[in-house]
Each structure stands twice: as structure tokens, then as C-alpha cells.
Amino acid sequence: MPAVTETREAVEKLGLSSYKWGFETDIDMDVAPKGLNEDIVRLISARKEEPEWMLEWRLAAFRSWLQMKEPEWAKVSHPPIDYQDAHYYAAPKKKPGPKSLEEVDPELLRTYEKLGIPLHEQAMLAGVEVPEGEQARMPVAVDAVFDSVSVVTTFRKTLEEAGVIFCPISEAIKEHPELVKKYLGTVVPVGDNFFSALNSAVFTDGSFVYVPEGVRCPMELSTYFRINSRNTGQFERTLIIVEDRASVSYLEGCTAPMRDENQLHAAVVELVAMEDASIKYSTVQNWYPGDENGRGGIYNFVTKRGACRGARSKISWTQVETGSAITWKYPSCILQGEGSVGEFYSVAVTNNHQQADTGTKMIHIGKNTRSTIIAKTISAGNSDSTYRGLVRVQPKASGARNFTQCDSLLIGDQCGAHTVPYIECRNAQARIEHEATTSKISEDQLFYCRQRGLSEEDSVGLIVNGFCRDVLKELPMEFAVEAQKLLQISLEGSVG
Amino acid sequence: MSQFLDISGLNARIDADGQEKEILRGVDLVIPPGEVHAIMGPNGSGKSTLSYVLAGREDYEVTSGSVSFQGKDLLEMEPEERAAAGLFLAFQSPVELPGVNNANFLRTAVNAVRRARGQEELDAVNFLKTVRAAAKELGMSPDMLKRNVNVGFSGGEKKRNEVLQMTLLQPSFAILDETDSGLDVDALRIVAEGVKRLRSPQFSALVITHHQRLLEYIVPDRIHVMAKGRIIHSGGPELAQQIDREGYTKFLAEAA
Ligand SMILES: Nc1ncnc2c1ncn2[C@@H]1O[C@H](COP(=O)(O)OP(=O)(O)OP(=O)(O)O)[C@@H](O)[C@H]1O
Ligand SMILES: [Mg+2]
């Protein structure tokens, strides 16, 4: 697919240690005044022309948030966040209206083009020339979210024909209220944690996916998040529901301009998988990480959780986390259905002054539920990375099995890597295995590669990619290539 | 006229646990273009160290002496520049690269040196053809290409994999550090033939070995004896049998 080749080239053209995606789009914006109070919540709801029940839901969330405290258990540190000093709504001026490509501000389209995001269906369809030796690929449907709103969703028609609903969540609230009402907040309850409560009060957009019974979604679905405006938080909400014997693969990417200040991104993602359903959720997280001195960057506080409600359902999280100043994120699986399967494959890279506290929770409730956790942590520079994972086996989960493998790779001697596994087993027949390793990138390996003609940076890239192999191979092919390049870019300047 | 490879008065040391340890103590060695030379010598005499210093390993500090390679100051170059300039080292203990696919590694390496040499990169299809053919000639199963670089390879398989890399990278100067150790008789012949195939007026080699057997296949132009960080004796190919019969005692005594 040409657009993806472009992405790859765009990434390749990166100079030394620069954040390529750091540009800013000059576009006329509709921005809410700074601050967070009930009026702002009402304003957001009004701007989105939401029904009354949604506003009530938000207000309830806001009130519970007011009672809550920011969590302190994560191994991250940052100056206190002033929640009143940010804008909670920013949208390109232009009626959201019907979202055909022609109506999208050309400046916006150029932005996504620059980012290498394939929004032009026409061009993509026309240009599906398959280079020799490579397999034909599925097109990817994209929902592009710019600051607080979805600006365009591609391939909607094709998807509709298959019965798949893929649209901005703001639209789903209006068009499919019964589905949204039924599922929103059922996996991540409003009051689950500080950031999910905040998100529930002020979320502005995100994607909604519904795959009906028996349907295998005919293409990869993807959402691309872009924070552009200054002093703006991004709070997106994603809800994916996959009915019996249906399946979907969903990708998520994100970038932000380079800024001196820290910006907050607090997303909530809820997945529901019914009987024999499967959801594959892949993330390549590339928010601006801040500069070499730790100035600026995104605070990425995210709650992602999937419920395997049906028997034999499967939810698989794959994440490559290279960006953000701070990452706080634990994509989890609630394994309710008998024989359901949860997977978590993660690569987290931190360099310079980045901090990451990430991992997963696997909650085994049903019989014979299985989970696999493969977490690879790479720390360089002065960064600090923690894997935090919980495996809980409930009393009724006979035959539950978990396998966890956590590997840390250190580059240099100023960085830190920590592994914090929590295991709570209340069923004697469950089997839980945990393996952990920590290693340094070895001089022998580096020298071997360089002797074969690879530059030092390419050698590090190769070794790191090898280290992450087990995770990268879980990504859809297009993403895998991009992720590999990203890993290398994120580590530039980390050796020598 | 400068020689193809000219090592003169080379001293190198390593910092081992805070102690400076002299390993190379005045190595003099000249290899003309198109010649294959062998180095033999007792364990710990500095043979591998010499190969590392020539390839540019940073742990070793060159305290004096010079190395010119095809008219260039080799010691000024980064390891990858040396590789691009045509220097190849078959390691005594090849390193494992977990998760790195062997064919992919080979292709990355070949294209890196091709780029640096101003040659066109090989596309995936052409490369695979070349690499499969080369592997076959070395008696390697195609399966080895799919595995991770050296991971779980037997000793002999690792050595063959080194020779495979050498074949593909087309060096003008190859150092083979005990590539024959750990090889069965058949493999030894195959590997020796791999080296012989490269022999040309544009290719020189330095073969480090403990066994005269390899040198029966690859008949070297010169054999040097290394001891205590220096070349203490040099001679023609017949030296191999003499060492095999008599050991190093005589040379060591002469040198003392
Ligand atoms: N990194 C190191 N730290 C400490 N000592 C070292 C190091 N590298 C080499 N040496 C020492 O330098 C000497 C020469 O080692 P080298 O590996 O070059 O010998 P060699 O001639 O290749 O031996 P062999 O025939 O056993 O392969 C040895 O005494 C070895 O212990
Ligand atoms: Mg040796």
C-alpha cells in the first residue's frame, strides 16, 4: 500500500535525533476557555450536540473525579499537574458535518499526509500496485482524530456493506445510542481510577467499532491521534464491541508537536469480546517524548481494558511504546468467558529523561482461561522504565494458566529498569509461570555487527529489534516495519 | 610504494580490571596483495588480539606502531569503515544475535558495505538467490538462513556461517581466526575450498590456526610464528609441518 511506504520513507528520512512529527499545523481552531468545571463539561457536551443522557453521564463522572486523587503508586515523578491550566476542547473550525474527504480542510489533509497517514481512499485504491515479492495487502480504514474531534473516517462504505460500524464515538452516541449506552463504561467503570473518571467527564472523541455476529472485519481498522493545539489535553475514548464469532484487528497511532510544556493525554479504551470473538488491538505510541534535557513531552495516562465475556473469546494487546515523557498504561484483560484467552505483547523504550510505568493485568475469572504476557523493556540515557503486571486467578478459574516473560535491556549505565510482578492466585489448580531477565547491550554484539559493515546506530537498532522480535512479530506487517524504524530512532544517540 | 597491508611496530594493551596489560609488543608484518599468510603460535600469544586490533575493536588501546591498509591509515578508521574498505574478520567465537534473522542480517550487512562501496544494493529476491547458492556450496542447510544469527548453532555451524558471510561480503582482506577449530574433516575441506575460491590477485588473507591440516588445503605463501605479542619467526609453507613435529620450543628459545 503506497501510503504506508510513504510512512516508512518519512520515517527513514529522519535526521539525527529529531522528532520528525514535531511540526505544528496552522489552522483556525475553536478552543474552549482554560479550566475544568461543570460548565466546561456542559460546553463539551453541547459542542458535540449530545443527548441529555450523555451529559448526565459526564457530569456524574466529573463529580466522582472531584472526589478522587491522582494515583501515586506508579514509579514516575512529575511536577503537580494543574488541571485548571489546560483547554479541554479544541476543534478545527469547520462544521464537523458529513465527513467526506472533499469537505475536510485541505490543511488538515496535508498534515496527515505529512505524517504518512493514508486518508486518500481514491489514491490508495488506485495505487495498490504490489511490488514483486511482496504480498498484496489489505487497505486500512482510518479514523483521524485531530485534537478533540475526528476529522475523517475512511472506507466507511466498504465497512458498512460488511455490517461493520466504524465511526467517531461522538457520532455513535447520536446514531447508535442503544449500543453506546449498553457498553460504555461497562469495562472501565467511570470511577475506576482518577484518569478514567477525568476522561469520562471530558472525552471529546475517539473511535467506535461494532462488528456484528459472524463477521470478520474485511480490513484493518486504525485510528490516528494527533494533538496539535497548545495547552490542550487530549481525552479520547474508544469502544470496540465484537459479537459472537466475529473478529477485528485495530491499530492505533499517535504523534504531537514538539513543545516545551507538558501536555496531558488521558485515554480510555474499552473492548468487549463475545463468544468465539477475537480482538487484536495494536498500538504504536509515539507521542512527543520531550527533549534531551527532559523538557516538554506528553504525559500519557491511559486506561485500556478488554472484557472477554464470551466463551473462547480472545483479546490480544500489542503495544510499542516509544514516545511520551511519562507513560502510565496497563492494558488489561478480564477473562470471564470459559476458555477465553488474553495476550499482552509489549515493547517499551525510554531514552533521555523519559519515564514509563507500564504492564498489564490479567484477571482470570472463568475456567480454563489462559494468558500470555511478553514484555520487553529497553532503557537508555537517563530514563527509567518499570514493568508492572498483575496476574489474578479467581477461585472459580480452575485450569487457568499464565505465562509471563519480562526482559529488560539496558543501554548505558544511567538508566533504570524494574520489574514488579504481582501474582494473586486463589485457585490451587492454576499454573502461573514467570520468567524475567535483565541484560545490557553487549560490546561483543555491537562489534560483531560493525565488523560486518553496520554503523553503530544500525547495529543497536538491529540488536534491539532482535530483542523485541517476539513482540514485533505480533504486529500487523505494516506496523511492524514502522515500529522497527521507530525503535531505532528513539534510541539514536544512546550509545557511543 | 606502500604494501597492501603493512603492520609496523604495533603495540597494544588492554585495561583488565584497572591493570594495563601489554598484549601486542611490536608486531611487524607485511602482506602483499594476493597472498595468503598464516599465523601460528601458542595459546595466549596475542593472535586473536591482533585480529581484533586490525578490525578496530575499541577495548584495545594501540600505544604505538602503525598499520597501513591499501595505502590508508587503518587505525584511524571505524570498524564499519574497515569492513567497507574490504577487511573481514571471521571470529574465533562468533557472537549470537538473538531475534535477528540470519538471512536478514546477511542482507543488511551486504547492503551496508555495498552502499559504502558505491555499489547498488541487492533487492530481497536477488539477495536470496545469491545467499541460497552460497550456503549450498558451503554445505549449509537452507534452514540455517531462517534461524537467528548463530543462536543454537553448533561450533562447526557457526564457523561455516562465518565463511558464508565472508563469501557474500567479498572482502579484499580476510582474517580467519581459528575458523578450522571445531570443524569435522569434511567441513574443513569445504571451508578451505570457500577460502580458495576467493583467492585472486585482489584478495589477501591472514589465517590464524593451530593445525597444519588447514594449511595443507590452503597452501599459504608465508607462515609466521607469534609468541608473547610478537612475530618471532617467519618461513614458507613447510614451517607448518616443522611446528607440528617439534612444537614452538625451539622458536621460543631462539627468540629469547
Ligand atoms: N579483554 C581481555 N582482558 C584481559 N586479558 C585479555 C583480554 N583479551 C586478551 N587478553 C589476554 O591477552 C593474551 C592474548 O590473548 P589472545 O586471545 O590474543 O590469544 P591467542 O593467541 O588468540 O590465543 P588462543 O590461541 O588461545 O586463541 C591472553 O593472555 C589473554 O588472556
Ligand atoms: Mg585466539
Side-chain angles (χ1 to χ4, degrees):
Chain A
M1 195 178 55
V4 178
T5 317
E6 272 167 40
T7 316
R8 203 177 318 168
E9 280 163 5
V11 175
E12 267 169 10
K13 274 192 224 115
L14 269 175
L16 273 175
S17 62
S18 62
Y19 183 78
K20 164 86 169 190
W21 309 267
F23 60 86
E24 181 175 348
T25 307
D26 188 12
I27 201 158
D28 220 2
M29 298 292 287
D30 173 15
V31 182
K34 273 188 183 176
L36 182 51
N37 49 49
E38 287 206 9
D39 287 344
I40 290 289
V41 175
R42 285 175 200 283
L43 179 141
I44 292 169
S45 191
R47 280 285 199 285
K48 300 253 154 210
E49 298 163 4
E50 286 176 354
E52 188 61 25
W53 62 267
M54 195 63 230
L55 174 62
E56 290 308 322
W57 196 85
R58 287 176 181 276
L59 289 172
F62 179 68
R63 286 170 201 140
S64 63
W65 179 74
L66 287 176
Q67 310 298 320
M68 298 171 88
K69 272 210 164 73
E70 232 178 276
E72 281 168 357
W73 43 262
K75 199 179 175 318
V76 297
S77 62
H78 53 83
I81 300 171
D82 182 354
Y83 291 91
Q84 298 305 331
D85 190 33
H87 299 284
Y88 287 82
Y89 182 80
K93 260 189 199 156
K94 248 278 136 129
K95 269 189 55 131
K99 287 168 183 170
S100 79
L101 278 167
E102 294 75 53
E103 289 172 53
V104 177
D105 187 322
E107 193 58 40
L108 270 180
L109 286 182
R110 269 194 291 280
T111 300
Y112 283 92
E113 222 163 83
K114 232 162 139 182
L115 294 167
I117 310 306
L119 294 184
H120 287 282
E121 297 178 20
Q122 286 323 79
M124 282 170 59
L125 287 175
V128 200
E129 263 178 60
V130 182
E132 217 184 312
E134 293 188 40
Q135 288 170 346
R137 291 166 202 149
M138 279 199 292
V140 180
V142 178
D143 182 20
V145 177
F146 195 81
D147 288 331
S148 305
V149 293
S150 165
V151 288
V152 69
T153 309
T154 61
F155 286 106
R156 291 175 66 166
K157 275 203 84 154
T158 324
L159 291 168
E160 267 164 35
E161 279 159 22
V164 174
I165 304 171
F166 179 41
C167 67
I169 197 154
S170 52
E171 196 182 309
I173 290 167
K174 285 177 274 184
E175 309 285 326
H176 309 282
E178 65 303 335
L179 286 172
V180 177
K181 263 191 198 163
K182 185 168 170 198
Y183 291 104
L184 190 71
T186 63
V187 186
V188 179
V190 165
D192 185 79
N193 67 72
F194 182 83
F195 297 110
S196 70
L198 176 63
N199 173 286
S200 302
V202 301
F203 78 85
T204 43
D205 227 326
S207 300
F208 175 81
V209 177
Y210 179 80
V211 188
E213 205 178 313
V215 173
R216 311 185 77 226
C217 185
M219 55 178 77
E220 308 259 3
L221 304 184
S222 147
T223 300
Y224 195 86
F225 296 102
R226 174 82 179 161
I227 297 180
N228 190 62
S229 298
R230 222 164 252 289
N231 293 312
T232 307
Q234 194 180 50
F235 304 91
E236 89 262 0
R237 185 102 194 177
T238 297
L239 177 58
I240 301 179
I241 301 142
V242 179
E243 296 281 13
D244 294 355
R245 298 181 313 284
S247 66
V248 71
S249 167
Y250 181 92
L251 323 171
E252 173 198 74
C254 46
T255 56
M258 286 154 79
R259 299 197 193 284
D260 290 347
E261 87 233 15
N262 295 107
Q263 281 176 288
L264 180 61
H265 172 257
V268 172
V269 175
E270 296 178 279
L271 313 182
V272 179
M274 306 310 282
E275 217 172 278
D276 291 302
S278 95
I279 303 176
K280 184 174 175 61
Y281 193 107
S282 315
T283 305
V284 173
Q285 187 266 106
N286 184 27
W287 295 116
Y288 178 53
D291 68 12
E292 327 66 88
N293 303 314
R295 276 208 325 173
I298 302 291
Y299 289 168
N300 189 34
F301 300 136
V302 172
T303 306
K304 290 183 168 175
R305 195 172 302 157
C308 283
R309 298 216 171 129
R312 296 169 305 278
S313 55
K314 175 175 172 182
I315 289 179
S316 178
W317 298 100
T318 306
Q319 58 172 26
V320 175
E321 304 279 320
T322 63
S324 298
I326 300 179
T327 298
W328 179 101
K329 180 181 170 189
Y330 316 89
S332 309
C333 297
I334 300 169
L335 304 169
Q336 229 169 332
E338 211 176 299
S340 59
V341 175
E343 295 173 340
F344 175 73
Y345 300 100
S346 167
V347 169
V349 184
T350 51
N351 195 0
N352 298 319
H353 292 266
Q354 282 176 278
Q355 307 171 58
D357 192 304
T358 182
T360 184
K361 286 189 241 175
M362 293 290 175
I363 314 292
H364 293 258
I365 300 173
K367 280 200 181 78
N368 298 321
T369 45
R370 277 175 294 143
S371 61
T372 304
I373 300 171
I374 310 259
K376 306 275 178 176
T377 302
I378 300 143
S379 330
N382 292 290
S383 69
D384 207 44
S385 193
T386 301
Y387 165 81
R388 188 184 301 277
L390 167 70
V391 177
R392 175 185 295 151
V393 179
Q394 308 276 64
K396 293 208 177 101
S398 304
R401 270 177 20 216
N402 163 267
F403 173 74
T404 300
Q405 167 132 19
C406 303
D407 299 316
S408 314
L409 186 68
L410 303 173
I411 302 176
D413 47 17
Q414 300 295 310
C415 53
H418 319 271
T419 301
V420 191
Y422 304 87
I423 296 171
E424 299 172 13
C425 187
R426 301 212 191 88
N427 184 302
Q429 287 151 47
R431 216 170 77 208
I432 298 175
E433 289 171 74
H434 181 96
E435 288 174 14
T437 66
T438 300
S439 53
K440 284 197 124 189
I441 210 158
S442 97
E443 286 297 325
D444 286 337
Q445 290 176 328
L446 271 181
F447 180 62
Y448 189 71
C449 295
R450 294 180 74 188
Q451 204 311 295
R452 297 307 185 239
L454 276 67
S455 68
E456 187 163 23
E457 308 236 295
D458 286 348
S459 305
V460 172
L462 192 86
I463 294 164
V464 166
N465 273 306
F467 174 76
C468 301
R469 178 83 232 122
D470 292 342
V471 173
L472 296 179
K473 74 178 185 346
E474 296 297 325
L475 285 175
M477 212 240 288
E478 302 302 346
F479 252 39
V481 174
E482 206 170 313
Q484 279 187 24
K485 303 273 186 223
L486 255 183
L487 285 182
Q488 187 158 347
I489 292 158
S490 316
L491 291 169
E492 254 161 22
S494 61
V495 277
Chain B
M1 244 288 295
S2 68
Q3 281 289 356
F4 177 76
L5 180 77
D6 190 339
I7 305 172
S8 158
L10 189 63
N11 282 276
R13 65 179 180 200
I14 194 154
D15 181 353
D17 302 320
Q19 283 226 317
E20 301 289 0
K21 190 167 168 187
E22 292 289 334
I23 303 177
L24 301 185
R25 305 156 187 250
V27 177
D28 292 306
L29 180 65
V30 170
I31 302 182
E35 289 196 5
V36 172
H37 287 207
I39 292 191
M40 302 183 80
N43 293 132
S45 55
K47 304 181 295 297
S48 293
T49 301
L50 176 63
S51 73
Y52 282 146
V53 170
L54 293 179
R57 184 140 189 172
E58 277 147 10
D59 322 16
Y60 298 93
E61 188 197 347
V62 174
T63 48
S64 64
S66 66
V67 181
S68 100
F69 177 58
Q70 293 175 308
K72 282 181 268 187
D73 182 352
L74 189 71
L75 301 178
E76 280 300 303
M77 296 159 78
E78 296 292 331
E80 59 270 31
E81 293 171 340
R82 302 181 196 203
L87 187 147
F88 180 90
L89 168 61
F91 287 72
Q92 183 173 359
S93 327
V95 179
E96 300 185 358
L97 301 177
V100 180
N101 171 275
N102 203 17
N104 192 31
F105 176 67
L106 283 163
R107 178 162 172 235
T108 311
V110 166
N111 281 339
V113 301
R114 286 184 76 96
R115 254 196 325 273
R117 291 173 190 166
Q119 297 163 334
E120 217 179 299
E121 292 186 26
L122 293 180
D123 63 53
V125 176
N126 271 322
F127 175 77
L128 272 180
K129 259 188 224 152
T130 317
V131 73
R132 286 210 188 100
K136 200 169 167 200
E137 287 211 307
L138 291 168
M140 291 171 69
S141 85
D143 183 52
M144 308 286 296
L145 297 171
K146 291 190 204 134
R147 288 168 56 182
N148 293 332
V149 181
N150 294 327
V151 177
F153 286 23
S154 75
E157 286 168 342
K158 282 184 182 168
K159 298 299 175 76
R160 283 193 218 206
N161 200 37
E162 294 290 289
V163 178
L164 175 67
Q165 296 181 38
M166 176 175 78
T167 312
L168 293 169
L169 288 168
Q170 302 181 329
S172 55
F173 176 53
I175 307 167
L176 290 100
D177 190 356
E178 296 198 27
T179 304
D180 54 335
S181 302
L183 290 182
D184 62 48
V185 258
D186 294 336
L188 184 69
R189 205 184 48 244
I190 291 167
V191 164
E193 267 155 22
V195 178
K196 272 158 88 179
R197 265 198 296 280
L198 288 177
R199 274 197 104 153
S200 82
Q202 285 79 44
F203 174 78
S204 305
L206 183 61
V207 178
I208 299 170
T209 182
H210 287 298
H211 310 291
Q212 58 132 347
R213 177 155 228 147
L214 176 71
L215 303 179
E216 280 169 13
Y217 289 112
I218 314 174
V219 183
D221 297 285
R222 303 281 294 165
I223 295 181
H224 310 277
V225 177
M226 188 162 189
K228 301 197 176 120
R230 288 192 308 123
I231 304 292
I232 55 164
H233 187 90
S234 299
E238 68 290 345
L239 202 54
Q241 283 104 27
Q242 190 190 342
I243 292 169
D244 206 42
R245 279 195 313 270
E246 302 168 12
Y248 297 111
T249 337
K250 179 167 153 262
F251 302 112
L252 289 169
E254 273 170 18

